[in-house]
C-alpha cells in the first residue's frame, strides 16, 4: 500500500474488505459511490444477490495458516494503523 500512498493522495484511495461486502453489500456499494462522487443508488434485493458463489472443502493446514499469519502480521499492522481500523482477519 505504501506505493499507492506515495503516488496518490489518501482521499483518492478507498480500501475495502471483501468480508464487509458479504456482510452488508449495500453499505459497501454506498461507500464506493460516495468515494467516486456518484449519487446514491437504490439497490434492489435482486441486484444484491450473490451469484457464482464458490466454497472451499476442508481447511488449510494449521501450520500454513500460522505461517501466513506471521508473515503478514507486520504489513497488516501497518495497513490497520494507516487506515485507523482493522479487518476481521486472523492475526
Amino acid at each position: 500500500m505504501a506505493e499507492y500512498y506515495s503516488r496518490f493522495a489518501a482521499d483518492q484511495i478507498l480500501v475495502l474488505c471483501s468480508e464487509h461486502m458479504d456482510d452488508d453489500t449495500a453499505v459497501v456499494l454506498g461507500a464506493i459511490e460516495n468515494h467516486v462522487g456518484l449519487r446514491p443508488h437504490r439497490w434492489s434485493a435482486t441486484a444484491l444477490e450473490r451469484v457464482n458463489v464458490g466454497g472451499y472443502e476442508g481447511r488449510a493446514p494449521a501450520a500454513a495458516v500460522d505461517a501466513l499469519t506471521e508473515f503478514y502480521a507486520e504489513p497488516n499492522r501497518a495497513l490497520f494503523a494507516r487506515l485507523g481500523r482493522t479487518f476481521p482477519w486472523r492475526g
Side-chain angles (χ1 to χ4, degrees), residues 9 18 39 58 63 66 73-74:
S18 63
R39 60 186 161 84
D66 291 343
E74 180 54 29

Side-chain angles (χ1 to χ4, degrees), residues 1 12 14-15 18 20 55-56 60 62 71 73 78 81 87 89:
M1 294 298 302
Q12 292 181 294
L14 178 63
V15 180
S18 63
H20 295 157
Y56 297 99
F71 181 82
F87 293 149
W89 302 333

Side-chain angles (χ1 to χ4, degrees), residues 1 7 16 24 28 33 56 70 82 86:
M1 294 298 302
R7 297 178 183 272
L16 302 169
D24 204 343
V28 174
E33 293 164 343
Y56 297 99
E70 182 178 337
R82 179 178 285 276
T86 62

Side-chain angles (χ1 to χ4, degrees), residues 9-80:
D11 66 344
Q12 292 181 294
I13 298 172
L14 178 63
V15 180
L16 302 169
C17 178
S18 63
E19 288 86 350
H20 295 157
M21 187 71 161
D22 291 341
D23 294 341
D24 204 343
T25 307
V27 169
V28 174
L29 290 173
I32 295 167
E33 293 164 343
N34 184 60
H35 183 76
V36 299
L38 296 174
R39 60 186 161 84
H41 180 75
R42 295 189 69 171
W43 297 95
S44 69
T46 303
L48 297 176
E49 287 179 10
R50 296 178 66 202
V51 296
N52 299 324
V53 177
Y56 297 99
E57 292 184 21
R59 293 193 153 298
V65 172
D66 291 343
L68 289 168
T69 298
E70 182 178 337
F71 181 82
Y72 287 106
E74 180 54 29
N76 283 342
R77 187 207 59 74
L79 173 65
F80 299 156

